[in-house]
Amino acid sequence: MVKQSIFGRISTLAKANINSMLDKAEDPQKMLDQMVRDYTNSISEAEAAVAQTIGNLRMIQDDYNEDLDASKSWGQKALAASSKADQFRTAGDTASADKFDNLAKVAIERQMDAEKSAKAAEPTIASQTEIVDKLKDGLDKMNDKRRQLVSKRDELTARAKSAQAQSAVHDAVKSIDIMDPSSEVNRFEEKVRREEARVRGQNELAASSLDAQFESLEDLGEQTEVEARLAALKAGGTQSLTAGNAAATGENELDYSEGATTQSN
């Protein structure tokens, strides 16, 4: 049971793979074209068979018509011989009269044979005519089916080409979809963004370095002023320092006196 189950699964898998390969290998247009060719060949074979049947019927009809013509001809000959016999008998020539009566009998026998042949052919002609009519009708239906098949082939071929075109357009649109993270355009955009970010980083770094340089210049200027004042202080000595204090005190007193004057007013 296990072996049978395994073999059955292998057989099913093999059939599935073969069918899948056949489906992929099938070209709808080529397959439909082959169907049209096969059906056209079948119609050609049917036409040949119908033509042969019609030919046989026409031969039988020709023989039938010949029998009818022969029957008519022998009837006329029998009538002519009988009339001639009557003339000889009226004239008293019995021997000649009997001779033409015998000829009339032979003509009548030939007429009867022709009539029998024609009569025997009538059923065959009737049946063959019926068969030919059916074959013609069947052949007309086959031609109608072929026209339908050709029309269906053209329709399916057009639909297949349209589907292929739509698939190609869809693939083309999908390949350049800027909203798709996996698209090439998005990848290039991401690369540009990274480059822009790198440039902004460099600019910020350069700006911070420049600010630091200006700050160092400001610190240097302040230090220079401090050094200058220190030098002036040392050069002036205590007098400079006292003068400076006095000047500061005088300014304070002036302020006070002015404030007092104002207050007294």
Side-chain angles (χ1 to χ4, degrees):
M1 295 296 294
V2 176
K3 291 183 178 180
Q4 291 179 355
S5 177
I6 292 174
F7 289 146
R9 292 175 61 186
I10 292 174
S11 176
T12 302
L13 180 61
K15 290 179 180 178
N17 290 332
I18 292 173
N19 289 331
S20 178
M21 293 174 62
L22 289 174
D23 290 338
K24 292 180 180 179
E26 284 182 350
D27 185 338
Q29 183 175 358
K30 292 181 179 178
M31 297 296 294
L32 291 170
D33 288 341
Q34 186 60 44
M35 290 177 63
V36 172
R37 284 193 293 269
D38 291 341
Y39 203 71
T40 302
N41 293 334
S42 298
I43 292 176
S44 297
E45 294 176 358
E47 287 177 343
V50 173
Q52 183 64 44
T53 304
I54 293 174
N56 294 336
L57 174 61
R58 296 296 177 257
M59 289 179 62
I60 296 173
Q61 288 176 336
D62 290 342
D63 293 339
Y64 176 77
N65 292 328
E66 288 179 2
D67 288 335
L68 292 179
D69 291 340
S71 174
K72 183 178 180 180
S73 177
W74 286 114
Q76 292 174 350
K77 290 178 180 180
L79 179 59
S82 177
S83 297
K84 194 68 174 176
D86 292 341
Q87 291 176 3
F88 279 117
R89 188 168 284 107
T90 302
D93 190 351
T94 305
S96 295
D98 292 338
K99 177 181 177 182
F100 278 97
D101 280 338
N102 290 332
L103 290 175
K105 291 179 181 178
V106 172
I108 291 173
E109 290 176 354
R110 299 289 179 85
Q111 181 186 23
M112 292 175 62
D113 290 339
E115 288 176 351
K116 289 180 181 178
S117 297
K119 191 70 174 179
E122 288 179 354
T124 303
I125 292 173
S127 63
Q128 289 297 311
T129 301
E130 183 179 0
I131 291 173
V132 167
D133 291 339
K134 290 181 178 180
L135 289 175
K136 286 182 177 180
D137 183 64
L139 192 58
D140 290 338
K141 291 180 179 179
M142 290 181 70
N143 285 318
D144 290 338
K145 289 291 185 181
R146 183 186 178 280
R147 284 189 289 271
Q148 294 176 7
L149 180 60
V150 171
S151 177
K152 195 67 175 178
R153 178 202 62 184
D154 295 340
E155 176 190 352
L156 293 176
T157 300
R159 288 170 59 185
K161 290 182 178 179
S162 177
Q164 291 174 359
Q166 292 179 9
S167 178
V169 170
H170 176 74
D171 293 340
V173 171
K174 184 179 179 181
S175 65
I176 59 173
D177 187 1
I178 60 175
M179 301 301 294
D180 185 5
S182 63
S183 67
E184 291 295 319
V185 174
N186 189 272
R187 186 172 66 84
F188 292 147
E189 182 180 5
E190 185 67 21
K191 184 176 180 180
V192 171
R193 289 181 59 204
R194 290 181 182 276
E195 185 65 20
E196 290 174 345
R198 186 183 66 81
V199 172
R200 287 200 304 269
Q202 289 178 345
N203 291 335
E204 291 180 7
L205 180 60
S208 62
S209 176
L210 187 60
D211 292 340
Q213 291 178 13
F214 277 111
E215 289 178 359
S216 64
L217 289 176
E218 291 176 358
D219 293 342
L220 180 59
E222 184 178 355
Q223 185 66 29
T224 302
E225 184 180 356
V226 171
E227 292 292 338
R229 290 188 180 187
L230 179 60
L233 181 63
K234 289 183 177 181
T238 307
Q239 295 178 356
S240 177
L241 180 60
T242 303
N245 291 331
T249 304
E251 289 176 357
N252 291 331
E253 289 178 354
L254 180 60
D255 291 337
Y256 290 146
S257 61
E258 290 177 356
T261 303
T262 304
Q263 187 173 11
S264 63
N265 291 334

